[in-house]
Amino acid sequence: MATRQDRNNPTQKKKLRKGRTIFTVILVIILAIAGIGFYQYKSSLNAAESDNKIKDFEFNGQKAEDANDLNVLLIGSDSRGKDQGRSDSLLIAHYDTKSKSPKLVSIMRDTYVDIPGHGLNKINAAYSFGGPELVRQTIKENFGVNIEYYVVANFEGFPKIVDTLAPNGIEIDAEKDMSKNIEANIKAGKQSMNGETLLQYARFRHDAESDFGRVRRQQQVLGALKDQAQSIGTVTKLPSLIGTMQGYTNTNVSTGLMISIGKDFILGNAKDIKDFRLPVDGTYKDVRNSHGAVLDIDVAANAKALQDFLKD
């Protein structure tokens, strides 16, 4: 620490002025970066919100039994106008904040379950009947898993989120040629897909595998997005990316929590994503009833399998 005598010394005074100058420059740079980041965040958020058609939802989330765990309900919606429609994609994102372990559970849309207050139906009908809150209740009643957070993403916004993250496209090794009932003509093999093409690839299900193949491709796409998020340069895009994501989704995940989890992925602290699918093999039958083609599941077996996966 400089004494009064040091401060009166011309040489020492010069060093102190130099030190203060360096500190001031660093502070100005930090404030400038923060200001630019905030501007990018707000600009992206405002632009996305003006284009977003997802309505607000009531959600009574319940914390996971383990205090370190976060469970987030991810719903892909193809709703148009006032018609909320059924959920087109339904997943549970699980994150252990202590071990930095992410897991992703895909739930088949035709899974036949008891929807509280509505009886037996395909699980994707729960979103149409009561939004993400009824989906949460349905998962809790059938599989015994608490969900604290939700994210509803309209497919109109997905391409814009992808293009913000990866302006030059996402590298994907397409499984096969596909064009039937999608707005793209995709050829098998490695290629770079923009947001719109990636969406069509993830949604394709008009082949012999139907929804089983689509769920697998959705997990492939999410893995590719994680890899892109960890690439060099993504940190500088984080404000714009979060703004775009929040603008094109409806969620109760706070900006702070989103940044905290996103930081783990971008800095490479998070482990590889473990994938899981419900129903599990050997626990369901293909049945046709008044609700159409459904997957008649062994509820107890699938509940145990899901709980074991999340605890492992």
Side-chain angles (χ1 to χ4, degrees):
M1 182 176 178
T3 65
R4 180 176 298 179
Q5 183 177 358
D6 289 333
R7 287 194 293 269
N8 290 332
N9 184 298
T11 302
Q12 189 65 28
K13 288 170 67 176
K14 186 175 181 180
K15 290 181 178 179
L16 288 171
R17 283 197 299 271
K18 184 178 180 181
R20 285 196 294 268
T21 300
I22 294 173
F23 174 78
T24 302
V25 170
I26 293 174
L27 181 60
V28 168
I29 292 173
I30 291 174
L31 290 174
I33 292 174
I36 292 171
F38 181 74
Y39 173 77
Q40 291 175 338
Y41 165 76
K42 289 297 291 183
S43 297
S44 300
L45 177 63
N46 292 338
E49 282 184 334
S50 66
D51 192 36
N52 186 11
K53 300 179 178 64
I54 302 177
K55 70 176 188 179
D56 292 331
F57 297 103
E58 177 183 350
F59 193 78
N60 303 311
Q62 296 181 339
K63 293 181 179 295
E65 293 183 5
D66 189 324
N68 295 315
D69 291 346
L70 297 175
N71 288 328
V72 184
L73 180 63
L74 304 179
I75 298 175
S77 168
D78 193 23
S79 61
R80 296 176 175 86
K82 295 181 179 180
D83 182 14
Q84 183 167 281
R86 298 191 175 201
S87 57
D88 194 77
S89 300
L90 182 58
L91 305 98
I92 301 172
H94 172 92
Y95 190 63
D96 186 327
T97 58
K98 184 176 181 180
S99 66
K100 311 296 184 185
S101 300
K103 297 177 180 178
L104 192 65
V105 179
S106 299
I107 304 178
M108 304 283 287
R109 55 189 282 166
D110 293 338
T111 302
Y112 202 51
V113 295
D114 184 27
I115 300 176
H118 298 272
L120 291 169
N121 206 325
K122 298 180 181 182
I123 196 168
N124 70 337
Y127 178 70
S128 178
F129 294 150
E133 169 60 16
L134 186 56
V135 179
R136 181 196 68 78
Q137 294 176 20
T138 301
I139 291 173
K140 173 64 176 179
E141 178 170 312
N142 290 272
F143 305 116
V145 173
N146 289 341
I147 306 290
E148 185 175 3
Y149 300 101
Y150 78 93
V151 177
V152 176
N154 193 303
F155 286 133
E156 291 181 0
F158 178 83
K160 297 178 177 68
I161 294 171
V162 172
D163 292 339
T164 300
L165 173 63
N168 296 321
I170 296 288
E171 292 298 320
I172 287 287
D173 189 357
E175 298 179 342
K176 62 184 75 174
D177 292 351
M178 52 187 73
S179 59
K180 186 177 180 181
N181 286 25
I182 59 173
E183 298 173 8
N185 186 7
I186 299 171
K187 300 298 182 182
K190 294 183 178 180
Q191 56 199 278
S192 181
M193 295 186 183
N194 62 18
E196 183 58 42
T197 304
L198 195 66
L199 172 63
Q200 300 303 320
Y201 177 74
R203 296 190 68 189
F204 178 78
R205 63 187 184 97
H206 293 278
D207 60 6
E209 290 186 295
S210 187
D211 208 33
F212 289 90
R214 189 180 73 145
V215 164
R216 185 178 63 252
R217 284 186 291 275
Q218 287 176 351
Q219 293 175 339
Q220 178 191 11
V221 165
L222 290 172
L225 291 173
K226 173 184 177 291
D227 291 341
Q228 177 64 35
Q230 292 181 333
S231 66
I232 297 174
T234 300
V235 173
T236 60
K237 301 174 189 173
L238 189 57
S240 294
L241 181 60
I242 290 178
T244 302
M245 288 177 63
Q246 288 187 320
Y248 279 112
T249 60
N250 186 285
T251 181
N252 65 339
V253 180
S254 67
T255 302
L257 180 58
M258 197 176 295
I259 291 174
S260 176
I261 297 175
K263 172 174 59 66
D264 284 343
F265 280 87
I266 290 173
L267 297 180
N269 296 326
K271 299 177 182 178
D272 289 338
I273 298 176
K274 292 183 178 179
D275 296 325
F276 190 74
R277 190 204 72 210
L278 285 180
V280 296
D281 291 338
T283 65
Y284 67 90
K285 295 179 180 178
D286 291 297
V287 174
R288 182 168 289 277
N289 59 24
S290 60
H291 296 290
V294 304
L295 299 176
D296 189 14
I297 69 170
D298 182 329
V299 175
N302 279 279
K304 183 178 186 305
L306 175 59
Q307 292 171 27
D308 289 346
F309 172 72
L310 296 179
K311 291 176 183 177
D312 183 17

PDB file of all heavy atoms in Angstrom, residues 123-141:
ATOM      1  N   ILE A 123     -50.750 -38.850 -25.147  1.00  0.00           N
ATOM      2  CA  ILE A 123     -50.172 -37.844 -24.266  1.00  0.00           C
ATOM      3  C   ILE A 123     -50.081 -36.476 -24.928  1.00  0.00           C
ATOM      4  O   ILE A 123     -50.109 -35.444 -24.251  1.00  0.00           O
ATOM      5  CB  ILE A 123     -48.787 -38.294 -23.745  1.00  0.00           C
ATOM      6  CG1 ILE A 123     -48.380 -37.443 -22.537  1.00  0.00           C
ATOM      7  CG2 ILE A 123     -47.733 -38.262 -24.856  1.00  0.00           C
ATOM      8  CD1 ILE A 123     -47.189 -37.985 -21.778  1.00  0.00           C
ATOM      9  N   ASN A 124     -49.992 -36.438 -26.252  1.00  0.00           N
ATOM     10  CA  ASN A 124     -49.888 -35.129 -26.907  1.00  0.00           C
ATOM     11  C   ASN A 124     -51.205 -34.349 -26.858  1.00  0.00           C
ATOM     12  O   ASN A 124     -51.236 -33.156 -27.157  1.00  0.00           O
ATOM     13  CB  ASN A 124     -49.379 -35.255 -28.343  1.00  0.00           C
ATOM     14  CG  ASN A 124     -50.370 -35.900 -29.293  1.00  0.00           C
ATOM     15  OD1 ASN A 124     -51.255 -36.625 -28.863  1.00  0.00           O
ATOM     16  ND2 ASN A 124     -50.210 -35.650 -30.577  1.00  0.00           N
ATOM     17  N   ALA A 125     -52.304 -35.011 -26.461  1.00  0.00           N
ATOM     18  CA  ALA A 125     -53.578 -34.314 -26.318  1.00  0.00           C
ATOM     19  C   ALA A 125     -53.609 -33.458 -25.058  1.00  0.00           C
ATOM     20  O   ALA A 125     -54.394 -32.510 -24.961  1.00  0.00           O
ATOM     21  CB  ALA A 125     -54.732 -35.316 -26.290  1.00  0.00           C
ATOM     22  N   ALA A 126     -52.762 -33.773 -24.082  1.00  0.00           N
ATOM     23  CA  ALA A 126     -52.763 -33.037 -22.807  1.00  0.00           C
ATOM     24  C   ALA A 126     -52.489 -31.554 -23.025  1.00  0.00           C
ATOM     25  O   ALA A 126     -53.090 -30.695 -22.377  1.00  0.00           O
ATOM     26  CB  ALA A 126     -51.734 -33.646 -21.853  1.00  0.00           C
ATOM     27  N   TYR A 127     -51.587 -31.249 -23.947  1.00  0.00           N
ATOM     28  CA  TYR A 127     -51.258 -29.843 -24.219  1.00  0.00           C
ATOM     29  C   TYR A 127     -52.465 -29.108 -24.799  1.00  0.00           C
ATOM     30  O   TYR A 127     -52.738 -27.956 -24.457  1.00  0.00           O
ATOM     31  CB  TYR A 127     -50.077 -29.773 -25.181  1.00  0.00           C
ATOM     32  CG  TYR A 127     -49.672 -28.364 -25.561  1.00  0.00           C
ATOM     33  CD1 TYR A 127     -49.077 -27.516 -24.624  1.00  0.00           C
ATOM     34  CD2 TYR A 127     -49.886 -27.879 -26.851  1.00  0.00           C
ATOM     35  CE1 TYR A 127     -48.715 -26.222 -24.973  1.00  0.00           C
ATOM     36  CE2 TYR A 127     -49.517 -26.594 -27.201  1.00  0.00           C
ATOM     37  CZ  TYR A 127     -48.933 -25.765 -26.252  1.00  0.00           C
ATOM     38  OH  TYR A 127     -48.586 -24.481 -26.597  1.00  0.00           O
ATOM     39  N   SER A 128     -53.216 -29.772 -25.656  1.00  0.00           N
ATOM     40  CA  SER A 128     -54.404 -29.164 -26.249  1.00  0.00           C
ATOM     41  C   SER A 128     -55.488 -28.921 -25.196  1.00  0.00           C
ATOM     42  O   SER A 128     -56.154 -27.882 -25.194  1.00  0.00           O
ATOM     43  CB  SER A 128     -54.958 -30.068 -27.357  1.00  0.00           C
ATOM     44  OG  SER A 128     -56.133 -29.535 -27.911  1.00  0.00           O
ATOM     45  N   PHE A 129     -55.626 -29.864 -24.253  1.00  0.00           N
ATOM     46  CA  PHE A 129     -56.656 -29.751 -23.221  1.00  0.00           C
ATOM     47  C   PHE A 129     -56.322 -28.688 -22.177  1.00  0.00           C
ATOM     48  O   PHE A 129     -57.206 -27.986 -21.700  1.00  0.00           O
ATOM     49  CB  PHE A 129     -56.848 -31.091 -22.511  1.00  0.00           C
ATOM     50  CG  PHE A 129     -57.407 -32.168 -23.379  1.00  0.00           C
ATOM     51  CD1 PHE A 129     -57.081 -33.502 -23.137  1.00  0.00           C
ATOM     52  CD2 PHE A 129     -58.268 -31.880 -24.423  1.00  0.00           C
ATOM     53  CE1 PHE A 129     -57.607 -34.515 -23.927  1.00  0.00           C
ATOM     54  CE2 PHE A 129     -58.786 -32.889 -25.229  1.00  0.00           C
ATOM     55  CZ  PHE A 129     -58.458 -34.208 -24.973  1.00  0.00           C
ATOM     56  N   GLY A 130     -55.026 -28.593 -21.804  1.00  0.00           N
ATOM     57  CA  GLY A 130     -54.703 -27.709 -20.676  1.00  0.00           C
ATOM     58  C   GLY A 130     -53.314 -27.133 -20.659  1.00  0.00           C
ATOM     59  O   GLY A 130     -52.821 -26.754 -19.588  1.00  0.00           O
ATOM     60  N   GLY A 131     -52.687 -27.042 -21.818  1.00  0.00           N
ATOM     61  CA  GLY A 131     -51.372 -26.403 -21.885  1.00  0.00           C
ATOM     62  C   GLY A 131     -50.300 -27.174 -21.129  1.00  0.00           C
ATOM     63  O   GLY A 131     -50.492 -28.327 -20.720  1.00  0.00           O
ATOM     64  N   PRO A 132     -49.145 -26.544 -20.908  1.00  0.00           N
ATOM     65  CA  PRO A 132     -48.030 -27.231 -20.249  1.00  0.00           C
ATOM     66  C   PRO A 132     -48.325 -27.668 -18.816  1.00  0.00           C
ATOM     67  O   PRO A 132     -47.764 -28.650 -18.343  1.00  0.00           O
ATOM     68  CB  PRO A 132     -46.894 -26.194 -20.277  1.00  0.00           C
ATOM     69  CG  PRO A 132     -47.555 -24.884 -20.511  1.00  0.00           C
ATOM     70  CD  PRO A 132     -48.772 -25.171 -21.321  1.00  0.00           C
ATOM     71  N   GLU A 133     -49.246 -26.981 -18.142  1.00  0.00           N
ATOM     72  CA  GLU A 133     -49.574 -27.373 -16.775  1.00  0.00           C
ATOM     73  C   GLU A 133     -50.223 -28.752 -16.743  1.00  0.00           C
ATOM     74  O   GLU A 133     -49.895 -29.590 -15.892  1.00  0.00           O
ATOM     75  CB  GLU A 133     -50.496 -26.333 -16.130  1.00  0.00           C
ATOM     76  CG  GLU A 133     -51.126 -26.751 -14.808  1.00  0.00           C
ATOM     77  CD  GLU A 133     -50.127 -27.068 -13.706  1.00  0.00           C
ATOM     78  OE1 GLU A 133     -48.933 -26.692 -13.828  1.00  0.00           O
ATOM     79  OE2 GLU A 133     -50.525 -27.708 -12.714  1.00  0.00           O
ATOM     80  N   LEU A 134     -51.135 -29.021 -17.686  1.00  0.00           N
ATOM     81  CA  LEU A 134     -51.774 -30.341 -17.715  1.00  0.00           C
ATOM     82  C   LEU A 134     -50.787 -31.412 -18.181  1.00  0.00           C
ATOM     83  O   LEU A 134     -50.855 -32.560 -17.735  1.00  0.00           O
ATOM     84  CB  LEU A 134     -52.999 -30.332 -18.632  1.00  0.00           C
ATOM     85  CG  LEU A 134     -53.830 -31.619 -18.638  1.00  0.00           C
ATOM     86  CD1 LEU A 134     -54.289 -31.979 -17.223  1.00  0.00           C
ATOM     87  CD2 LEU A 134     -55.038 -31.488 -19.566  1.00  0.00           C
ATOM     88  N   VAL A 135     -49.849 -31.042 -19.045  1.00  0.00           N
ATOM     89  CA  VAL A 135     -48.797 -31.992 -19.438  1.00  0.00           C
ATOM     90  C   VAL A 135     -47.966 -32.356 -18.214  1.00  0.00           C
ATOM     91  O   VAL A 135     -47.626 -33.530 -17.993  1.00  0.00           O
ATOM     92  CB  VAL A 135     -47.894 -31.399 -20.543  1.00  0.00           C
ATOM     93  CG1 VAL A 135     -46.801 -32.404 -20.909  1.00  0.00           C
ATOM     94  CG2 VAL A 135     -48.705 -31.060 -21.787  1.00  0.00           C
ATOM     95  N   ARG A 136     -47.634 -31.345 -17.401  1.00  0.00           N
ATOM     96  CA  ARG A 136     -46.867 -31.593 -16.171  1.00  0.00           C
ATOM     97  C   ARG A 136     -47.620 -32.552 -15.260  1.00  0.00           C
ATOM     98  O   ARG A 136     -47.044 -33.514 -14.724  1.00  0.00           O
ATOM     99  CB  ARG A 136     -46.610 -30.272 -15.443  1.00  0.00           C
ATOM    100  CG  ARG A 136     -45.802 -30.419 -14.147  1.00  0.00           C
ATOM    101  CD  ARG A 136     -45.894 -29.187 -13.267  1.00  0.00           C
ATOM    102  NE  ARG A 136     -47.225 -28.988 -12.714  1.00  0.00           N
ATOM    103  CZ  ARG A 136     -47.699 -29.666 -11.682  1.00  0.00           C
ATOM    104  NH1 ARG A 136     -46.970 -30.621 -11.096  1.00  0.00           N
ATOM    105  NH2 ARG A 136     -48.923 -29.427 -11.214  1.00  0.00           N
ATOM    106  N   GLN A 137     -48.913 -32.301 -15.061  1.00  0.00           N
ATOM    107  CA  GLN A 137     -49.724 -33.163 -14.203  1.00  0.00           C
ATOM    108  C   GLN A 137     -49.794 -34.587 -14.752  1.00  0.00           C
ATOM    109  O   GLN A 137     -49.752 -35.559 -13.992  1.00  0.00           O
ATOM    110  CB  GLN A 137     -51.131 -32.584 -14.069  1.00  0.00           C
ATOM    111  CG  GLN A 137     -51.216 -31.257 -13.347  1.00  0.00           C
ATOM    112  CD  GLN A 137     -52.636 -30.704 -13.340  1.00  0.00           C
ATOM    113  OE1 GLN A 137     -53.607 -31.429 -13.533  1.00  0.00           O
ATOM    114  NE2 GLN A 137     -52.769 -29.400 -13.134  1.00  0.00           N
ATOM    115  N   THR A 138     -49.892 -34.705 -16.058  1.00  0.00           N
ATOM    116  CA  THR A 138     -49.983 -36.022 -16.697  1.00  0.00           C
ATOM    117  C   THR A 138     -48.694 -36.814 -16.485  1.00  0.00           C
ATOM    118  O   THR A 138     -48.730 -38.016 -16.184  1.00  0.00           O
ATOM    119  CB  THR A 138     -50.252 -35.858 -18.204  1.00  0.00           C
ATOM    120  OG1 THR A 138     -51.479 -35.143 -18.389  1.00  0.00           O
ATOM    121  CG2 THR A 138     -50.359 -37.200 -18.893  1.00  0.00           C
ATOM    122  N   ILE A 139     -47.551 -36.158 -16.633  1.00  0.00           N
ATOM    123  CA  ILE A 139     -46.262 -36.829 -16.418  1.00  0.00           C
ATOM    124  C   ILE A 139     -46.117 -37.236 -14.955  1.00  0.00           C
ATOM    125  O   ILE A 139     -45.657 -38.343 -14.646  1.00  0.00           O
ATOM    126  CB  ILE A 139     -45.114 -35.902 -16.849  1.00  0.00           C
ATOM    127  CG1 ILE A 139     -45.119 -35.744 -18.372  1.00  0.00           C
ATOM    128  CG2 ILE A 139     -43.760 -36.450 -16.377  1.00  0.00           C
ATOM    129  CD1 ILE A 139     -44.137 -34.725 -18.898  1.00  0.00           C
ATOM    130  N   LYS A 140     -46.534 -36.368 -14.042  1.00  0.00           N
ATOM    131  CA  LYS A 140     -46.450 -36.680 -12.618  1.00  0.00           C
ATOM    132  C   LYS A 140     -47.328 -37.871 -12.267  1.00  0.00           C
ATOM    133  O   LYS A 140     -46.905 -38.790 -11.560  1.00  0.00           O
ATOM    134  CB  LYS A 140     -46.869 -35.453 -11.798  1.00  0.00           C
ATOM    135  CG  LYS A 140     -46.988 -35.688 -10.310  1.00  0.00           C
ATOM    136  CD  LYS A 140     -45.651 -36.039  -9.678  1.00  0.00           C
ATOM    137  CE  LYS A 140     -45.793 -36.180  -8.169  1.00  0.00           C
ATOM    138  NZ  LYS A 140     -44.513 -36.546  -7.511  1.00  0.00           N
ATOM    139  N   GLU A 141     -48.570 -37.871 -12.769  1.00  0.00           N
ATOM    140  CA  GLU A 141     -49.509 -38.937 -12.415  1.00  0.00           C
ATOM    141  C   GLU A 141     -49.087 -40.285 -12.987  1.00  0.00           C
ATOM    142  O   GLU A 141     -49.223 -41.317 -12.329  1.00  0.00           O
ATOM    143  CB  GLU A 141     -50.914 -38.592 -12.911  1.00  0.00           C
ATOM    144  CG  GLU A 141     -51.936 -39.685 -12.622  1.00  0.00           C
ATOM    145  CD  GLU A 141     -53.363 -39.237 -12.889  1.00  0.00           C
ATOM    146  OE1 GLU A 141     -53.738 -38.142 -12.430  1.00  0.00           O
ATOM    147  OE2 GLU A 141     -54.109 -39.993 -13.540  1.00  0.00           O
TER     148      GLU A 141
END
